[in-house]
Coordinates of all heavy atoms in Angstrom, one line a residue:
M1 N 36.6 -5.0 7.8 CA 35.8 -6.1 7.2 C 34.5 -6.4 7.9 O 34.5 -6.5 9.0 CB 36.8 -7.2 7.3 CG 36.4 -8.5 6.5 SD 37.7 -9.7 6.4 CE 36.6 -11.1 6.1
S2 N 33.6 -6.5 7.1 CA 32.1 -6.7 7.6 C 32.0 -8.2 7.6 O 32.3 -8.9 6.7 CB 31.1 -5.9 7.0 OG 31.1 -6.3 5.6
D3 N 31.3 -8.6 8.6 CA 30.8 -10.0 8.6 C 29.4 -10.2 8.2 O 28.7 -9.1 7.9 CB 31.1 -10.7 10.1 CG 30.3 -10.0 11.1 OD1 29.4 -9.3 10.8 OD2 30.5 -10.2 12.3
I4 N 28.9 -11.4 8.2 CA 27.6 -11.7 7.7 C 26.5 -11.0 8.6 O 25.4 -10.6 8.0 CB 27.4 -13.1 7.5 CG1 26.0 -13.4 6.7 CG2 27.3 -13.8 8.8 CD1 26.0 -14.9 6.2
A5 N 26.7 -10.8 9.9 CA 25.9 -10.2 10.8 C 25.7 -8.7 10.3 O 24.6 -8.1 10.4 CB 26.3 -10.4 12.1
D6 N 26.8 -8.1 10.0 CA 26.8 -6.6 9.6 C 26.0 -6.5 8.3 O 25.0 -5.6 8.2 CB 28.1 -6.0 9.4 CG 29.0 -6.0 10.7 OD1 28.3 -5.8 11.7 OD2 30.1 -6.1 10.7
V7 N 26.2 -7.3 7.3 CA 25.5 -7.3 6.1 C 24.1 -7.4 6.4 O 23.2 -6.7 5.8 CB 26.1 -8.3 5.1 CG1 25.1 -8.4 3.8 CG2 27.4 -8.1 4.8
S8 N 23.7 -8.5 7.2 CA 22.1 -8.7 7.4 C 21.6 -7.6 8.2 O 20.5 -7.2 7.8 CB 22.2 -10.0 8.3 OG 20.8 -10.3 8.8
D9 N 22.2 -6.9 9.1 CA 21.7 -5.7 9.8 C 21.5 -4.6 8.7 O 20.4 -4.0 8.9 CB 22.7 -5.3 10.8 CG 22.8 -6.1 12.1 OD1 21.8 -6.8 12.3 OD2 23.5 -5.9 13.0
K10 N 22.4 -4.4 7.8 CA 22.1 -3.4 6.8 C 20.9 -3.7 6.0 O 20.2 -2.8 5.7 CB 23.4 -3.3 5.9 CG 23.3 -2.2 5.0 CD 23.4 -0.8 5.7 CE 23.4 0.4 4.8 NZ 22.9 1.6 5.5
H11 N 20.7 -5.0 5.5 CA 19.5 -5.3 4.8 C 18.2 -5.2 5.6 O 17.2 -4.6 5.1 CB 19.7 -6.8 4.3 CG 20.5 -7.1 3.2 ND1 20.2 -6.6 2.0 CD2 21.8 -7.7 3.2 CE1 21.3 -7.0 1.1 NE2 22.3 -7.7 1.9
I12 N 18.2 -5.5 6.9 CA 17.1 -5.3 7.7 C 16.8 -3.9 7.9 O 15.8 -3.4 7.8 CB 17.3 -6.0 9.2 CG1 17.4 -7.4 9.0 CG2 16.3 -5.6 10.1 CD1 17.8 -8.3 10.3
E13 N 17.7 -3.0 8.1 CA 17.6 -1.6 8.2 C 17.0 -0.9 7.0 O 16.1 -0.2 7.0 CB 19.0 -0.9 8.5 CG 18.8 0.5 8.7 CD 20.2 1.3 9.0 OE1 21.0 0.6 9.4 OE2 20.3 2.5 8.7
T14 N 17.5 -1.4 5.9 CA 16.9 -0.9 4.6 C 15.5 -1.3 4.3 O 14.6 -0.6 4.0 CB 17.8 -1.5 3.4 OG1 19.1 -1.1 3.5 CG2 17.2 -1.1 2.0
F15 N 15.2 -2.5 4.8 CA 13.9 -2.9 4.7 C 12.8 -2.3 5.6 O 11.8 -1.8 5.1 CB 13.8 -4.5 5.0 CG 12.4 -5.1 5.1 CD1 11.7 -5.4 3.8 CD2 11.7 -5.3 6.2 CE1 10.4 -5.9 4.0 CE2 10.3 -5.7 6.3 CZ 9.8 -6.1 5.1
I16 N 13.3 -2.0 6.8 CA 12.4 -1.4 7.8 C 12.3 0.1 7.3 O 11.1 0.6 7.3 CB 13.0 -1.4 9.2 CG1 12.9 -2.7 9.6 CG2 12.4 -0.4 10.1 CD1 13.8 -3.0 10.9
N17 N 13.4 0.8 6.8 CA 13.1 2.1 6.3 C 12.2 2.2 5.1 O 11.4 3.2 4.9 CB 14.5 2.7 6.0 CG 15.2 3.0 7.2 OD1 14.8 3.2 8.4 ND2 16.6 3.1 7.0
S18 N 12.2 1.2 4.2 CA 11.3 1.2 3.1 C 10.0 1.0 3.5 O 9.0 1.7 3.0 CB 11.8 0.1 2.1 OG 10.9 -0.1 1.0
A19 N 9.7 0.1 4.5 CA 8.3 -0.1 4.9 C 7.8 1.1 5.7 O 6.6 1.4 5.4 CB 8.4 -1.3 5.9
I20 N 8.5 1.8 6.4 CA 8.1 3.1 7.0 C 7.8 4.2 6.1 O 6.7 4.7 6.0 CB 9.2 3.5 8.0 CG1 9.3 2.6 9.2 CG2 8.9 4.9 8.5 CD1 10.5 2.9 10.1
A21 N 8.6 4.3 5.0 CA 8.3 5.2 4.0 C 6.9 4.8 3.2 O 6.1 5.7 3.0 CB 9.5 5.3 3.0
N22 N 6.8 3.5 3.1 CA 5.6 3.1 2.3 C 4.3 3.4 3.1 O 3.2 3.8 2.7 CB 5.7 1.7 1.9 CG 6.5 1.4 0.7 OD1 6.7 2.3 -0.1 ND2 7.0 0.2 0.6
A23 N 4.4 3.1 4.3 CA 3.3 3.2 5.3 C 2.8 4.7 5.4 O 1.8 5.0 5.5 CB 3.6 2.6 6.6
S24 N 4.0 5.6 5.4 CA 3.7 6.9 5.6 C 3.0 7.5 4.4 O 2.3 8.6 4.5 CB 4.9 7.7 6.2 OG 5.8 7.7 5.0
R25 N 3.2 7.0 3.3 CA 2.7 7.4 2.0 C 1.3 6.9 1.8 O 0.6 7.5 1.0 CB 3.6 7.1 0.8 CG 4.7 8.0 0.6 CD 5.4 7.7 -0.7 NE 5.9 6.4 -0.9 CZ 7.0 5.9 -0.8 NH1 8.0 6.7 -0.5 NH2 7.3 4.7 -1.0
K26 N 0.9 5.8 2.4 CA -0.4 5.1 2.2 C -1.5 6.1 2.6 O -1.5 6.7 3.7 CB -0.4 3.9 2.9 CG -1.5 3.0 2.4 CD -1.3 1.6 2.8 CE -2.3 0.8 2.0 NZ -1.8 -0.6 1.9
T27 N -2.4 6.3 1.7 CA -3.6 7.1 1.9 C -4.5 6.3 3.0 O -4.8 5.2 2.7 CB -4.3 7.4 0.6 OG1 -3.5 8.0 -0.2 CG2 -5.5 8.3 0.9
Q28 N -5.0 7.0 3.8 CA -5.9 6.5 4.9 C -7.3 6.5 4.2 O -7.8 7.6 3.9 CB -6.1 7.3 6.1 CG -4.6 7.1 6.9 CD -4.6 5.7 7.6 OE1 -5.5 5.1 7.9 NE2 -3.4 5.3 7.5
L29 N -7.9 5.4 4.1 CA -9.3 5.3 3.5 C -10.2 5.2 4.5 O -10.0 4.6 5.6 CB -9.4 3.9 2.6 CG -8.5 4.0 1.3 CD1 -8.6 2.7 0.7 CD2 -8.9 5.1 0.5
H30 N -11.4 5.8 4.3 CA -12.5 5.8 5.2 C -13.7 5.2 4.6 O -14.0 5.6 3.4 CB -12.8 7.2 5.9 CG -11.6 7.8 6.5 ND1 -11.2 7.4 7.7 CD2 -10.7 8.7 6.0 CE1 -10.1 8.1 8.2 NE2 -9.8 8.9 7.1
S31 N -14.4 4.3 5.2 CA -15.6 3.8 4.7 C -16.8 4.7 4.6 O -17.1 5.3 5.7 CB -16.0 2.5 5.5 OG -17.3 1.9 5.0
D32 N -17.4 5.0 3.5 CA -18.5 5.9 3.4 C -19.6 5.2 2.7 O -20.5 6.0 2.1 CB -18.0 7.2 2.7 CG -17.6 6.9 1.2 OD1 -17.5 5.8 0.8 OD2 -17.4 7.9 0.4
G33 N -19.6 3.9 2.6 CA -20.6 3.1 1.9 C -20.6 3.1 0.3 O -21.4 2.5 -0.2
H34 N -19.4 3.4 0.0 CA -19.1 3.3 -1.4 C -17.6 2.8 -1.7 O -16.7 3.0 -0.8 CB -19.1 4.7 -2.2 CG -20.5 5.3 -2.2 ND1 -21.0 6.2 -1.1 CD2 -21.5 5.0 -3.2 CE1 -22.2 6.5 -1.5 NE2 -22.6 5.8 -2.6
C35 N -17.6 1.8 -2.7 CA -16.2 1.3 -3.0 C -15.2 2.3 -3.3 O -15.5 3.3 -4.1 CB -16.4 0.3 -4.1 SG -14.8 -0.3 -4.8
A36 N -14.0 2.2 -2.8 CA -13.0 3.3 -3.0 C -12.4 3.2 -4.3 O -11.8 4.3 -4.7 CB -11.9 3.1 -1.9
F37 N -12.7 2.2 -5.1 CA -12.1 2.1 -6.6 C -13.3 2.5 -7.5 O -13.2 3.3 -8.4 CB -11.6 0.8 -6.7 CG -10.9 0.7 -8.0 CD1 -9.7 1.4 -8.4 CD2 -11.5 -0.1 -9.1 CE1 -9.1 1.3 -9.6 CE2 -10.9 -0.1 -10.3 CZ -9.7 0.6 -10.6
C38 N -14.4 1.9 -7.4 CA -15.5 1.9 -8.6 C -16.6 2.8 -8.0 O -17.5 2.9 -8.8 CB -15.9 0.5 -9.1 SG -16.9 -0.4 -7.9
D39 N -16.7 3.1 -6.8 CA -17.9 4.0 -6.2 C -19.1 3.2 -6.1 O -20.1 3.9 -6.0 CB -17.9 5.2 -7.0 CG -18.5 6.4 -6.2 OD1 -18.1 6.3 -5.0 OD2 -19.1 7.2 -6.6
E40 N -19.2 2.0 -6.3 CA -20.3 1.2 -6.2 C -20.8 1.2 -4.7 O -19.8 1.2 -3.8 CB -20.3 -0.3 -6.6 CG -21.3 -0.7 -7.7 CD -21.0 -2.0 -8.2 OE1 -21.4 -3.0 -7.5 OE2 -20.5 -2.2 -9.3
A41 N -22.0 1.0 -4.3 CA -22.5 1.0 -2.9 C -21.8 -0.4 -2.3 O -22.1 -1.5 -2.9 CB -24.0 1.1 -2.9
V42 N -21.4 -0.2 -1.1 CA -21.0 -1.3 -0.3 C -21.5 -1.1 1.2 O -22.0 -0.1 1.5 CB -19.4 -1.4 -0.2 CG1 -18.8 -1.7 -1.6 CG2 -18.8 -0.1 0.4
D43 N -21.5 -2.3 1.9 CA -21.8 -2.3 3.3 C -21.1 -1.3 4.1 O -19.8 -1.1 3.8 CB -21.8 -3.6 3.8 CG -22.9 -4.6 3.4 OD1 -24.0 -4.2 2.7 OD2 -22.6 -5.8 3.4
I44 N -21.7 -0.7 5.1 CA -20.9 0.2 5.9 C -19.7 -0.5 6.6 O -19.9 -1.6 7.1 CB -21.8 0.8 7.0 CG1 -22.9 1.7 6.3 CG2 -21.0 1.7 8.1 CD1 -22.4 3.0 5.5
G45 N -18.6 0.1 6.6 CA -17.4 -0.6 7.2 C -16.6 -1.3 6.2 O -15.4 -1.5 6.6
L46 N -17.1 -1.5 5.0 CA -16.2 -1.9 3.9 C -15.7 -0.9 3.1 O -16.2 0.1 2.8 CB -17.1 -2.9 3.0 CG -17.6 -4.3 3.7 CD1 -18.5 -5.0 2.8 CD2 -16.5 -5.0 4.3
L47 N -14.4 -1.1 2.5 CA -13.7 -0.1 1.7 C -14.0 -0.5 0.2 O -13.9 0.5 -0.5 CB -12.3 -0.1 2.1 CG -11.9 0.4 3.5 CD1 -10.4 0.3 3.8 CD2 -12.4 1.8 3.7
F48 N -14.2 -1.7 -0.1 CA -14.2 -2.1 -1.5 C -15.3 -3.1 -1.6 O -15.6 -3.8 -0.8 CB -12.9 -2.8 -2.1 CG -11.7 -1.8 -1.8 CD1 -10.8 -2.0 -0.7 CD2 -11.4 -0.9 -2.7 CE1 -9.7 -1.2 -0.6 CE2 -10.2 -0.1 -2.5 CZ -9.4 -0.2 -1.4
C49 N -15.8 -3.2 -3.0 CA -17.0 -4.1 -3.1 C -16.4 -5.6 -3.2 O -17.2 -6.5 -3.0 CB -17.8 -3.7 -4.3 SG -16.8 -3.5 -5.8
D50 N -15.2 -5.8 -3.8 CA -14.8 -7.1 -3.8 C -13.1 -7.0 -3.9 O -12.6 -6.0 -3.9 CB -15.2 -7.8 -5.1 CG -15.0 -7.2 -6.4 OD1 -14.0 -6.4 -6.4 OD2 -15.6 -7.5 -7.3
R51 N -12.5 -8.3 -3.8 CA -11.1 -8.4 -3.9 C -10.4 -7.7 -5.1 O -9.4 -7.2 -5.1 CB -10.8 -9.9 -3.8 CG -9.3 -10.2 -3.6 CD -9.1 -11.6 -3.4 NE -9.7 -12.0 -2.2 CZ -9.6 -13.3 -1.6 NH1 -9.0 -14.1 -2.3 NH2 -10.1 -13.6 -0.5
D52 N -11.2 -7.9 -6.3 CA -10.6 -7.3 -7.5 C -10.4 -5.8 -7.5 O -9.5 -5.2 -7.8 CB -11.5 -7.7 -8.7 CG -11.4 -9.1 -9.1 OD1 -10.5 -9.7 -8.7 OD2 -12.3 -9.6 -9.6
C53 N -11.5 -5.2 -6.9 CA -11.4 -3.7 -6.6 C -10.3 -3.3 -5.7 O -9.5 -2.3 -6.0 CB -12.7 -3.2 -6.2 SG -14.0 -2.8 -7.5
R54 N -10.1 -4.0 -4.6 CA -9.1 -3.7 -3.7 C -7.6 -3.9 -4.4 O -6.8 -3.0 -4.3 CB -9.1 -4.7 -2.4 CG -8.0 -4.3 -1.5 CD -7.8 -5.6 -0.6 NE -7.3 -6.6 -1.5 CZ -7.3 -7.9 -1.0 NH1 -7.6 -8.4 0.2 NH2 -6.7 -8.8 -1.8
D55 N -7.5 -5.1 -5.2 CA -6.3 -5.2 -5.9 C -6.1 -4.1 -7.0 O -4.9 -3.6 -7.0 CB -6.3 -6.6 -6.6 CG -6.1 -7.7 -5.5 OD1 -5.9 -7.4 -4.4 OD2 -6.4 -8.8 -5.8
D56 N -7.0 -3.7 -7.6 CA -6.9 -2.7 -8.7 C -6.6 -1.4 -8.0 O -5.8 -0.6 -8.6 CB -8.2 -2.7 -9.6 CG -8.4 -3.8 -10.5 OD1 -7.4 -4.7 -10.7 OD2 -9.5 -4.0 -10.9
Y57 N -7.1 -1.1 -6.9 CA -6.9 0.1 -6.2 C -5.4 0.2 -5.9 O -4.8 1.2 -5.9 CB -7.8 0.2 -5.0 CG -7.6 1.6 -4.2 CD1 -8.1 2.7 -4.5 CD2 -6.7 1.5 -3.1 CE1 -7.8 3.9 -3.8 CE2 -6.4 2.6 -2.2 CZ -7.1 3.7 -2.6 OH -6.8 4.8 -1.9
D58 N -4.9 -0.9 -5.3 CA -3.5 -1.0 -4.7 C -2.6 -0.8 -6.0 O -1.6 -0.1 -5.9 CB -3.2 -2.4 -4.2 CG -3.8 -2.5 -2.8 OD1 -4.2 -1.4 -2.1 OD2 -3.9 -3.7 -2.2
K59 N -2.9 -1.4 -7.2 CA -2.1 -1.3 -8.4 C -2.1 0.2 -8.7 O -1.1 0.8 -9.2 CB -2.7 -2.2 -9.5 CG -2.4 -3.6 -9.4 CD -3.0 -4.3 -10.5 CE -3.1 -5.9 -10.2 NZ -3.9 -6.6 -11.2
Q60 N -3.3 0.8 -8.8 CA -3.4 2.2 -9.1 C -2.6 3.0 -8.2 O -1.9 4.0 -8.7 CB -4.9 2.6 -9.1 CG -5.2 4.0 -9.5 CD -6.6 4.3 -9.2 OE1 -7.0 4.3 -8.1 NE2 -7.3 5.0 -10.2
Q61 N -2.6 2.9 -6.9 CA -1.9 3.8 -5.9 C -0.3 3.6 -6.2 O 0.4 4.5 -6.1 CB -2.3 3.2 -4.5 CG -3.7 3.6 -4.2 CD -4.0 5.0 -4.4 OE1 -3.4 5.9 -3.8 NE2 -5.0 5.4 -5.1
R62 N 0.0 2.2 -6.5 CA 1.5 2.0 -6.8 C 2.0 2.7 -8.0 O 3.0 3.4 -8.0 CB 1.8 0.5 -7.0 CG 2.0 -0.2 -5.6 CD 2.6 -1.6 -5.8 NE 1.9 -2.4 -6.7 CZ 1.0 -3.2 -6.3 NH1 0.8 -3.4 -4.9 NH2 0.2 -4.1 -7.1
V63 N 1.1 2.7 -9.1 CA 1.6 3.4 -10.3 C 1.6 4.9 -10.0 O 2.5 5.6 -10.6 CB 0.6 3.0 -11.5 CG1 0.8 4.1 -12.5 CG2 0.6 1.6 -11.8
M64 N 0.7 5.4 -9.3 CA 0.6 6.8 -9.1 C 1.9 7.2 -8.3 O 2.4 8.4 -8.5 CB -0.7 7.3 -8.3 CG -1.9 7.2 -9.2 SD -3.4 7.3 -8.4 CE -3.4 9.2 -7.9
R65 N 2.2 6.3 -7.3 CA 3.6 6.7 -6.6 C 4.7 6.6 -7.4 O 5.5 7.6 -7.3 CB 3.7 5.7 -5.4 CG 2.9 6.0 -4.2 CD 3.4 5.2 -3.0 NE 3.4 3.8 -3.2 CZ 2.3 3.1 -2.8 NH1 1.2 3.6 -2.3 NH2 2.2 1.8 -2.9
I66 N 4.8 5.7 -8.4 CA 5.9 5.6 -9.2 C 6.0 6.7 -10.3 O 7.2 7.3 -10.4 CB 5.8 4.2 -10.1 CG1 6.0 3.0 -9.2 CG2 6.9 4.3 -11.3 CD1 5.6 1.8 -9.8
V67 N 5.0 7.4 -10.7 CA 4.9 8.4 -11.7 C 5.0 9.8 -10.9 O 5.0 10.7 -11.6 CB 3.8 8.3 -12.7 CG1 3.9 7.1 -13.6 CG2 2.4 8.4 -12.1
G68 N 4.8 9.7 -9.6 CA 5.1 10.9 -8.8 C 3.9 11.6 -8.6 O 3.9 12.8 -8.4
C69 N 2.6 11.0 -8.6 CA 1.3 11.8 -8.5 C 1.0 11.9 -7.0 O 0.0 12.5 -6.6 CB 0.3 11.0 -9.2 SG 0.4 11.2 -11.0
R70 N 1.8 11.1 -6.2 CA 1.4 11.1 -4.8 C 2.5 11.4 -3.9 O 3.7 11.3 -4.2 CB 1.0 9.7 -4.4 CG -0.2 9.4 -5.3 CD -1.2 8.6 -4.6 NE -1.6 9.4 -3.4 CZ -2.4 8.7 -2.5 NH1 -2.8 7.5 -2.6 NH2 -2.8 9.4 -1.4
Ligands
ZN1 ZN1 -15.6 -1.7 -6.4

């Protein structure tokens, strides 16, 4: 019979394994002076021109993972 601590440990383990899997699939972006989503010029060191592009890029990456493109 499992107690609440065992159930909690299992949930934590599942969460950690999921986080590790997501992190290992995440593409490493490098700043090249252009937005990673819309390709507009950005300051060196920035990956996106604004928050909307970052959010849209994240959504696009999630969809691509779901449909198996990554
Ligand atoms: Zn952009």
Side-chain angles (χ1 to χ4, degrees):
M1 182 173 158
S2 62
D3 63 14
I4 194 163
D6 291 333
V7 173
S8 179
D9 284 349
K10 187 67 181 166
H11 283 291
I12 291 169
E13 182 183 336
T14 302
F15 175 79
I16 290 172
N17 287 338
S18 174
I20 290 170
N22 285 337
S24 65
R25 281 194 302 258
K26 192 160 197 159
T27 304
Q28 290 292 322
L29 294 176
H30 301 283
S31 175
D32 64 354
H34 294 89
C35 175
F37 185 71
C38 73
D39 209 33
E40 236 179 76
V42 296
D43 290 338
I44 296 297
L46 296 179
L47 296 174
F48 302 100
C49 55
D50 60 21
R51 189 176 292 182
D52 289 337
C53 274
R54 184 202 61 199
D55 291 348
D56 289 344
Y57 177 86
D58 285 342
K59 287 178 196 168
Q60 181 188 56
Q61 295 302 305
R62 277 197 300 271
V63 169
M64 289 171 72
R65 279 196 299 270
I66 291 168
V67 299
C69 292
R70 305 216 48 192

